[in-house]
Amino acid sequence: MNYLKEKNKITIYDIDSFNVTHIFECGQVFRYTKTDEYYEAVSKDQIARVYSYENRVEILCSDEDYFENYFDLKTDYKQIKNSLKAFKIDALNMAIDYGYGIRILRQDELETIISFIISANNNIKRIQGSLKKLSERFGTKLKSKIFGEYYAFPTLKQLSKINEAQFVELGTGYRAGQLVKAILQLQNMNLKNVYNLSTNTATNTFIEMSGIGPKVADCVLLFGYYKMDVFPVDTWIEKVFNHYFCNGNPLTNRPLIRKELVKIFDGLSGYAQQYLFYYERTQK
DNA sequence: TTCCAGGTGCATA
DNA sequence: TATGCACATGGA
């Protein structure tokens, strides 16, 4: 990856492996806004604006080290895409050509957990709205010389003070009670310790939490912990599987679909999933 | 108006 | 272990 890191600014020259629209619209993250000039993202208590030009991308940000990691700039996506193309699967090749600039963001663990509990059986617009309100009502208000005022994602301590009725007011619907319970459970675990666990053990740890089943656990591990040997199967991936991977035997059993796809893509599952998801959801 | 959304929890067999 | 249903709410 060819990029230059300066104080509060990262300039990216390898625009074949960094497309801001692909990165933010591919469904991995919900807290961003699009304007005519830039995409703005808040992650944890950090903020960035991403400007796209003909031959480069500029990221103005509160902390260049934080966003160098967040945008996964040290990973070579050209190599990842080549490895995926070596499978010679037409649908995946189309998906990669379509979403060529996708990168898997290294998101904050807690923020990912809360976001994807809210995401269950929900639509992306509404998820975004709930998370925006959650941050504005319960997160710390921060002031930046460059970006003005913005709101951090609530800390675990701040989250623990929110009751079920307040979560309902955020538009989280029946997930409100699950969120209160999950936040209680989170207080008794060390989120950083999950990095030391195998994918299976980590999955089981999260599935025991309220509001987290197999799919949300996979999303937490993929987007919050950068574990690539998981394959979140939602309604869109079910469609993908039955269009392109089922050899005439469509499946509705999502754990089975997941098993088949992980068998194919193994340690590249997370990347493959994201290209396929974005392709299926936006190609209409 | 009806269907659907990045599913989960729980009861039942 | 597997299947089926209820669940809150807003977008399309």
Side-chain angles (χ1 to χ4, degrees):
Chain A
M1 188 68 172
N2 182 10
Y3 64 97
L4 174 66
K5 190 167 68 160
E6 301 168 89
K7 174 85 177 150
N8 298 125
K9 182 179 175 182
I10 302 171
T11 308
I12 292 160
Y13 300 100
D14 182 9
I15 58 170
D16 287 337
S17 293
F18 191 113
N19 180 291
V20 68
T21 303
H22 298 169
I23 289 170
F24 285 117
E25 308 282 356
C26 76
Q28 60 180 323
V29 63
F30 305 106
R31 258 196 104 195
Y32 65 88
T33 50
K34 179 182 189 294
T35 75
D36 290 340
E37 295 173 76
Y38 54 80
Y39 275 84
E40 182 176 283
V42 178
S43 169
K44 204 174 179 180
D45 56 353
Q46 301 293 328
I47 184 168
R49 282 182 193 159
V50 183
Y51 295 80
S52 299
Y53 303 103
E54 205 170 315
N55 58 354
R56 71 187 192 284
V57 172
E58 290 183 6
I59 303 169
L60 303 186
C61 57
S62 53
D63 182 334
E64 62 279 8
D65 290 329
Y66 183 89
F67 284 100
E68 179 184 37
N69 177 63
Y70 177 81
F71 285 111
D72 197 23
L73 296 185
K74 289 177 181 170
T75 300
D76 182 359
Y77 278 72
K78 199 166 284 179
Q79 194 180 329
I80 289 165
K81 286 183 280 187
N82 284 338
S83 302
L84 288 172
K85 290 213 165 186
F87 286 100
K88 299 188 185 299
I89 297 169
D90 289 345
L92 180 59
N93 290 344
M94 282 192 291
I96 293 170
D97 291 341
Y98 176 74
Y100 61 88
I102 287 176
R103 311 179 72 81
I104 307 294
L105 298 172
R106 294 180 185 263
Q107 300 184 57
D108 177 66
E109 299 89 353
L110 176 64
E111 189 168 340
T112 308
I113 293 166
I114 300 301
S115 299
F116 280 90
I117 290 176
I118 292 173
S119 81
N121 194 27
N122 205 343
N123 64 63
I124 288 179
K125 274 267 190 315
R126 187 163 156 232
I127 300 162
Q128 289 173 333
S130 291
L131 288 167
K132 182 167 186 284
K133 284 186 231 168
L134 173 64
S135 299
E136 289 176 357
R137 272 192 65 180
F138 299 102
T140 302
K141 184 195 269 192
L142 299 170
K143 287 178 186 171
S144 152
K145 281 183 184 169
I146 307 174
F147 304 103
E149 288 182 352
Y150 66 98
Y151 291 87
F153 193 83
T155 62
L156 185 54
K157 193 174 175 187
Q158 289 169 325
L159 290 169
S160 68
K161 292 177 182 160
I162 307 174
N163 64 39
E164 187 171 339
Q166 289 172 313
F167 271 119
V168 170
E169 285 173 25
L170 303 176
T172 59
Y174 63 84
R175 305 164 197 82
Q178 298 174 342
L179 286 161
V180 172
K181 278 186 205 165
I183 287 160
L184 211 55
Q185 290 169 301
L186 283 167
Q187 290 169 13
N188 295 315
M189 73 181 276
N190 178 355
L191 284 179
K192 295 294 180 190
N193 187 45
V194 174
Y195 286 104
N196 301 321
L197 305 177
S198 71
T199 298
N200 263 341
T201 310
T203 302
N204 292 333
T205 304
F206 283 121
I207 281 181
E208 283 175 19
M209 292 176 51
S210 178
I212 301 186
K215 190 271 174 181
V216 171
D218 271 357
C219 286
V220 168
L221 291 180
L222 174 54
F223 303 127
Y225 289 90
Y226 208 81
K227 286 200 185 279
M228 288 299 147
D229 53 344
V230 298
F231 209 115
V233 178
D234 68 338
T235 172
W236 298 102
I237 293 298
E238 184 178 330
K239 288 177 186 134
V240 167
F241 182 84
N242 289 328
H243 282 163
Y244 308 112
F245 290 87
C246 72
N247 294 319
N249 300 307
L251 298 175
T252 56
N253 183 322
R254 292 187 183 180
L256 201 56
I257 293 173
R258 179 195 193 279
K259 199 176 163 188
E260 293 295 321
L261 291 168
V262 171
K263 199 193 293 175
I264 298 172
F265 295 109
D266 193 32
L268 293 170
S269 293
Y271 300 112
Q273 196 272 358
Q274 208 47 207
Y275 290 111
L276 289 167
F277 174 88
Y278 181 55
Y279 180 70
E280 185 71 13
R281 202 178 77 83
T282 56
Q283 275 286 80
K284 286 204 155 181

